[in-house]
Amino acid sequence: MPTTIAVDHLWKVFGPKPQRVPGSELAALSRAELRERTGNVAAVRDVSFDVERGEVFVVMGLSGSGKSTLVRCLTRLIEPTSGEISIDGEPVRAMNPKRLRELRRHRVAMVFQHFGLLPHRQVIDNVAYGLEIQGTAKADRHRRAGEVLDLVGLAGHEHQYPDQLSGGMQQRVGLARALATDPAVLLFDEPFSALDPLIRRDMQAEVRRLHAEVGRTMVFITHDLSEALTLGDRIAVLRDGELVQLGTPEELVGAPADGYVADFVRDVPRADVLSVRWIARPVTAADEPTGEPLPGTMLIRDAIPLILHAGGPLRVGDKVVGVDELLPIIAGHHDRVAA
């Protein structure tokens, strides 16, 4: 797939003379050592990744890991200290103020944790605000605002004010406002963390539905592993500003890069995330595969009844999987339930 966002050796250092850190011996210091020695804080440390067109790319980490700083650097809401960022092949750090405003108004939209709605404006005018800034005529921007309100399930609420809506509905207004300008890229900075769990789950489902319908490239920031696994095509894990691991949800759960990631995914039900190819083994002379082969992409949870009732191992490509391979997965599930 074509690359929409490319980030190459990105640094963001806060403090006195931040440019002295990247590329010097100071770059090797830990966050605490750097702060003690120089008074600087490296919020993003030498991070590189690509985001493919149409991908949902999740950046996950604990509070203070640098994820919000990172997403703000993408459109220079925070100025990077060093490194390169390009969107659709155009270098963002080389943009002059006019070009940067065009990027933010037309190509990239951001949805924040705090909704930022204008309390004195009706819903339809909040949604149409970005189009108003672009100079779109009132009738045209209201028509477009009505379309996206319908898309996010808020048809009929056009003339209410934000304080007349629930928190989840307000966040839908924020999402509609971002979609109204038809951006190529949507950036989400922990947009659902202030919502209660049930509304948060509904909003996650809404994002998945909208992605399926409009197909935009999305970069989603969260500290919640469940949210990351639910939404992400790929997930980047940050720790103290550094990229610890980048991979699919399966890769993070099945092959964590280090103890930090392993602790993150320790309580994840592996059968709900991993496919059968993760537990398949080479065929031996004692094996007598039975039944229809399993597709390697089938989740283990869906394969469990098929394997248990097969009476023998089942093929997965040129390998097999049987009850012996299931037992550690099932035992781990029961251990978590008992705990």
Side-chain angles (χ1 to χ4, degrees):
M1 292 290 291
T3 296
T4 294
I5 301 173
V7 176
D8 188 34
H9 297 293
L10 182 67
W11 282 82
K12 177 57 188 177
V13 181
F14 293 100
K17 300 179 181 178
Q19 293 81 7
R20 61 183 163 162
V21 177
S24 74
E25 72 280 359
L26 297 173
L29 299 178
S30 69
R31 176 174 283 189
E33 291 170 333
L34 180 66
R35 183 171 57 246
E36 181 178 352
R37 184 167 163 183
T38 68
N40 293 117
V41 174
V44 178
R45 303 174 64 102
D46 199 25
V47 170
S48 299
F49 60 85
D50 292 340
V51 180
E52 297 176 354
R53 185 173 301 163
E55 181 177 24
V56 180
F57 187 91
V58 174
V59 181
M60 187 189 73
L62 299 176
S63 178
S65 62
K67 56 190 184 297
S68 290
T69 300
L70 172 61
V71 76
R72 283 168 166 78
C73 284
L74 298 181
T75 57
R76 289 172 55 195
L77 292 176
I78 292 177
E79 284 288 348
T81 303
S82 70
E84 299 298 332
I85 303 163
S86 65
I87 296 179
D88 290 329
E90 184 177 2
V92 174
R93 296 193 67 203
M95 292 180 179
N96 60 31
K98 179 182 178 182
R99 187 71 184 118
L100 193 56
R101 285 193 299 270
E102 291 174 351
L103 174 77
R104 296 170 181 168
R105 289 178 180 178
H106 297 279
R107 294 167 60 192
V108 180
M110 195 159 187
V111 182
F112 295 95
Q113 175 182 347
H114 303 291
F115 316 132
L117 303 181
L118 301 171
H120 61 289
R121 290 194 171 204
Q122 294 179 348
V123 165
I124 195 162
D125 289 311
N126 267 282
V127 173
Y129 183 69
L131 295 170
E132 182 180 345
I133 294 299
Q134 292 179 6
T136 305
K138 184 175 182 178
D140 290 336
R141 65 179 185 256
H142 276 194
R143 177 187 54 76
R144 173 60 180 163
E147 291 173 354
V148 293
L149 282 169
D150 184 55
L151 188 64
V152 302
L154 286 179
H157 297 276
E158 293 88 348
H159 301 296
Q160 290 185 279
Y161 288 89
D163 64 0
Q164 296 175 304
L165 304 178
S166 68
M169 293 171 75
Q170 289 183 40
Q171 192 58 282
R172 286 173 186 261
V173 175
L175 183 54
R177 180 177 57 191
L179 289 168
T181 58
D182 198 25
V185 179
L186 285 164
L187 307 178
F188 296 84
D189 188 10
E190 300 206 61
F192 309 144
S193 61
L195 303 177
D196 69 52
L198 291 178
I199 296 175
R200 183 171 186 159
R201 188 171 59 195
D202 289 344
M203 289 303 301
Q204 291 167 2
E206 186 70 12
V207 168
R208 291 198 303 272
R209 181 184 69 82
L210 286 171
H211 182 258
E213 290 189 14
V214 301
R216 295 293 178 264
T217 303
M218 297 181 176
V219 178
F220 199 99
I221 305 299
T222 185
H223 64 270
D224 185 280
L225 176 63
S226 176
E227 189 164 74
L229 295 174
T230 297
L231 295 175
D233 295 316
R234 288 188 300 152
I235 302 168
V237 182
L238 294 187
R239 177 182 57 200
D240 292 340
E242 295 185 81
L243 182 58
V244 178
Q245 185 169 0
L246 172 58
T248 65
E250 272 196 286
E251 288 167 343
L252 262 65
V253 173
D258 62 10
Y260 179 75
V261 181
D263 283 342
F264 253 120
V265 303
R266 179 179 54 197
D267 295 326
V268 174
R270 293 166 63 85
D272 292 346
V273 179
L274 298 182
S275 57
V276 289
R277 63 173 175 260
W278 284 88
I279 58 172
R281 58 173 173 79
V283 181
T284 68
D287 288 322
E288 296 182 7
T290 61
E292 292 292 323
L294 299 177
T297 55
M298 178 180 283
L299 290 178
I300 293 173
R301 71 178 181 206
D302 298 327
I304 286 175
L306 300 176
I307 296 170
L308 291 178
H309 292 93
L314 295 176
R315 284 197 177 276
V316 180
D318 60 353
K319 297 183 178 181
V320 294
V321 61
V323 173
D324 288 346
E325 286 70 49
L326 284 182
L327 291 179
I329 300 289
I330 296 173
H333 172 74
H334 287 310
D335 288 346
R336 281 189 296 274
V337 171

